[in-house]
Amino acid sequence: MAKTDIPGIPSSEITPEHVYINRRQFMLGLGGLAAAAALAACAAPSSPAPAVGSVATLAPTAGKSTDELGDRLTTYEDVTTYNNYYEFGTDKSDPARQAKNFRTAPWTVQVGGLVNKPATFGVEDLIRLFPPEERIYRLRCVEAWSMVIPWQGFQLNKLLAAVEPTGAAKYVRFETLNDPEQMPGQRNDWYEWPYVEGLRLDEALHDLTLLATGVYGKPALPQNGAPLRLVVPWKYGFKSIKSIVKIDLVAEQPSSLWMVAAPDEYGFYANVNPDVNHPRWSQASERRIGETARRRTLPFNGYAEQVAGLYAGMDLAKFY
Amino acid sequence: MRRLSLPKFARYQLLVHLAALIPLAWLIFDAARGNLGANPIQAVEQRTGKYALILMAASLACTPLNTVTGWRSVLRWRRPLGLYAFVYAALHFLTFLGLDYGFDVGLIWLDVAGKRFILVGAAALAILVALAFTSTGAAMKRMGRRWKQLHRWVYAAGGLVIIHYAWAVKADIRGPLAWGALIAALLALRLPPVRRWFARQRVRRRLQGR
């Protein structure tokens, strides 16, 4: 019902494309500025200075059918029917079926912890405050399949700047809704619900890190993590937590659901890395959904230029 | 007309062949209709693997079923069920090599080196190959007592398949545990003391029935 609160028409359809593209380049510039400001304001002195990469190389793709590497978009059909969302079942086809009646409105997200201005936002407030833009990102699942998805969303750093993290904040902790009534998968007590994920503050502030509200110019469907999900394109898909109700700035590294479920298999960082195998399977190659042949996996999922600097000097085999 | 009706034994055999081939027909039907989802190659891999496991368990269930019920003709299903388990396991493996990896030896090597569940699965398949190639009556005669010893390896293959399955899933291993428990139970029913106990029970029942 109130789902219509989320703008359903991609701005590219309203604005002439060249104007639209210019506007977005301008906004990306702004985003970079905001991130830099936020960093200056709150990054802990001890944390490595993140290289705010050239997001411009990823920019305006509206109306295009490929990402910046020339890879074709995954079809809307596949993006909305092949999902890992264990709250709605462990089979890839479960979420599309079981999440059909999931209530995504009204929806609020509580942002707090080590911040000066904790606040609870309605999703519609977030969309008003931070108008969504399109980002075409590759998504690489830890199970060695991948997609190219056009998201609509806003940079997480804009939201974080609004709540003003204190100097003590080092990490960001995210939490999914806990509602076994609506999410039958949460009755499976093999896992410790609710789903929790975390990012280091500089990762969270990176311009590539997105809070998505839409897919393919439409409001996101529940199986894609509606109404609000994280998208961190250089990390394995499970880091990109769905249906977020809580975001906390914290001092200690949070433990994610997967770290708790299998500590020796899932690390905190989970950066896409063809040279660091999952303990039980290789990450050297992947299958792009819709393609037959496998392709080699790229370091940081092809975003090394933008994000490798975040991990300078770190042993990525140790911090997997 | 009388000559057309099959002997009872052959009718059972026909039923086994049909039952074992239905999953393959179903898979081909789904593939032709585009019903295999967004990742069809993985779907083929997973389904052929699952059918191999089901048929292996069915083949292993024949002897215990005979032990418990005394039903004799079930013993004739062992070989075709076991051979079909091998057929599906071979399809599973070929899907992995061909459909999934396009026979790209470099890529396969990269992945096999890092994927212990593939090594375990390959070991299980190697056992099944040996059993399939010695499944003829002639091989049975030629090998004598060694045939039985060799074919006991089917339980090793069963154990390896369960490990293969458990290592391939993400964290929730209830599926592999359930299948592992089933195969362990079928093995337990073959232990000589257990078998003798069931045989005595059957004799007792028969005597009481008189």
Side-chain angles (χ1 to χ4, degrees):
Chain A
M1 18 153 220
K3 259 193 190 169
T4 44
D5 287 348
I6 302 164
I9 308 156
S11 38
S12 56
E13 280 180 14
I14 309 163
T15 318
E17 197 175 26
H18 65 281
V19 180
Y20 172 69
I21 286 170
N22 284 339
R23 190 182 65 92
R24 286 217 292 121
Q25 251 156 0
F26 172 70
M27 279 180 38
L28 281 172
L30 268 190
L33 279 180
L39 276 172
C42 58
S46 60
S47 58
V52 178
S54 51
V55 187
T57 59
L58 308 168
T61 34
K64 286 197 182 165
S65 55
T66 64
D67 66 6
E68 85 288 0
L69 300 180
D71 292 354
R72 271 209 327 274
L73 298 186
T74 304
T75 64
Y76 185 69
E77 158 92 13
D78 286 348
V79 169
T80 53
T81 56
Y82 191 77
N83 308 99
N84 264 335
Y85 196 168
Y86 277 23
E87 282 84 340
F88 294 108
T90 52
D91 197 272
K92 302 282 183 295
S93 59
D94 288 342
R97 235 184 9 253
Q98 302 227 56
K100 210 169 267 168
N101 300 317
F102 183 59
R103 287 187 301 276
T104 55
W107 191 279
T108 56
V109 55
Q110 216 181 77
V111 189
L114 302 171
V115 297
N116 291 324
K117 294 180 173 170
T120 298
F121 299 89
V123 169
E124 58 290 346
D125 303 331
L126 291 175
I127 288 170
R128 205 164 32 242
L129 287 167
F130 315 111
E133 50 176 297
E134 185 174 65
R135 292 281 178 91
I136 296 183
Y137 283 161
R138 292 172 291 284
L139 176 120
R140 167 63 157 80
C141 179
V142 74
E143 297 165 357
W145 54 266
S146 61
M147 293 183 175
V148 182
I149 305 174
W151 300 103
Q152 282 73 46
F154 55 91
Q155 292 178 189
L156 172 63
N157 54 30
K158 295 181 184 173
L159 173 60
L160 295 183
V163 295
E164 295 179 10
T166 70
K170 299 281 193 298
Y171 294 91
V172 186
R173 181 185 181 278
F174 305 84
E175 206 176 290
T176 297
L177 179 71
N178 192 18
D179 185 358
E181 287 274 302
Q182 287 203 81
M183 297 174 142
Q186 288 181 336
R187 291 171 225 155
N188 172 354
D189 45 12
W190 194 272
Y191 301 101
E192 218 162 283
W193 307 107
Y195 202 94
V196 169
E197 261 306 341
L199 293 174
R200 212 169 60 190
L201 186 59
D202 56 347
E203 298 175 323
L205 292 173
H206 195 282
D207 281 359
L208 284 180
T209 305
L210 201 71
L211 280 175
T213 52
V215 180
Y216 260 101
K218 303 174 199 158
L221 295 177
Q223 59 265 40
N224 293 121
L228 187 72
R229 68 166 288 167
L230 186 67
V231 185
V232 195
W234 71 92
K235 292 175 180 285
Y236 293 118
F238 66 85
K239 290 295 287 184
S240 294
I241 184 170
K242 303 185 182 87
S243 307
I244 301 167
V245 291
K246 209 159 174 276
I247 300 175
D248 280 316
L249 280 287
V250 294
E252 302 291 328
Q253 180 179 295
S255 283
S256 69
L257 173 133
W258 284 108
M259 288 164 74
V260 173
D264 47 341
E265 298 191 2
Y266 300 97
F268 176 76
Y269 287 94
N271 292 317
V272 175
N273 191 338
D275 301 323
V276 176
N277 288 338
H278 180 278
R280 291 184 284 130
W281 59 76
S282 159
Q283 296 291 15
S285 69
E286 68 198 54
R287 164 155 303 103
R288 182 65 50 80
I289 296 301
E291 294 181 356
T292 313
R294 280 180 168 261
R295 37 167 89 214
R296 295 293 177 105
T297 291
L298 301 171
F300 297 106
N301 203 20
Y303 301 97
E305 193 196 323
Q306 289 85 17
V307 302
L310 294 172
Y311 310 100
M314 278 175 69
D315 180 356
L316 294 176
K318 192 172 162 219
F319 298 100
Y320 56 86
Chain B
M1 282 313 283
R2 243 185 108 201
R3 298 184 62 188
L4 274 176
S5 73
L6 294 159
K8 201 176 168 199
F9 151 67
R11 258 184 288 150
Y12 274 129
Q13 292 291 66
L14 194 64
L15 202 67
V16 169
H17 286 279
L18 278 177
L21 285 168
I22 283 169
L24 182 61
W26 184 24
L27 183 60
I28 292 169
F29 177 78
D30 275 348
R33 295 282 308 271
N35 280 349
L36 293 174
N39 200 347
I41 295 173
Q42 192 186 47
V44 175
E45 247 163 14
Q46 291 177 347
R47 281 172 63 169
T48 48
K50 185 149 237 172
Y51 300 149
L53 177 58
I54 292 171
L55 285 161
M56 185 186 224
S59 170
L60 289 174
C62 292
T63 304
L65 201 61
N66 168 263
T67 304
V68 175
T69 65
W71 185 19
R72 293 198 64 97
S73 52
V74 71
L75 293 176
R76 298 209 175 93
W77 301 2
R78 263 185 315 198
R79 179 158 63 185
L81 286 171
L83 281 169
Y84 277 114
F86 161 72
V87 167
Y88 280 102
L91 285 175
H92 179 63
F93 187 61
L94 283 173
T95 305
F96 161 71
L97 289 183
L99 281 182
D100 198 346
Y101 283 81
F103 299 107
D104 180 337
V105 178
L107 208 55
I108 291 170
W109 174 247
L110 259 177
D111 272 4
V112 169
K115 285 185 176 173
R116 55 188 196 197
F117 80 91
I118 293 176
L119 296 175
V120 169
L125 182 65
I127 295 174
L128 293 185
V129 169
L131 302 192
F133 278 88
T134 56
S135 64
T136 59
M140 228 167 149
K141 263 190 208 117
R142 199 173 55 241
M143 293 177 69
R145 274 184 54 202
R146 291 200 336 265
W147 188 90
K148 206 161 189 178
Q149 285 166 359
L150 177 68
H151 280 249
R152 284 202 179 117
W153 277 82
V154 71
Y155 277 97
L160 290 170
V161 162
I162 297 300
I163 296 170
H164 172 70
Y165 181 15
W167 277 350
V169 301
K170 245 179 174 173
D172 182 350
I173 55 163
R174 287 177 305 179
L177 282 177
W179 281 97
L182 175 66
I183 287 182
L186 293 174
L187 178 60
L189 281 169
R190 278 175 184 243
L191 298 174
V194 180
R195 265 181 115 144
R196 277 197 296 273
W197 185 84
F198 276 106
R200 277 201 304 275
Q201 295 301 308
R202 279 211 310 278
V203 172
R204 195 169 300 161
R205 271 204 306 274
R206 209 170 301 151
L207 290 175
Q208 281 168 354
R210 244 169 224 173

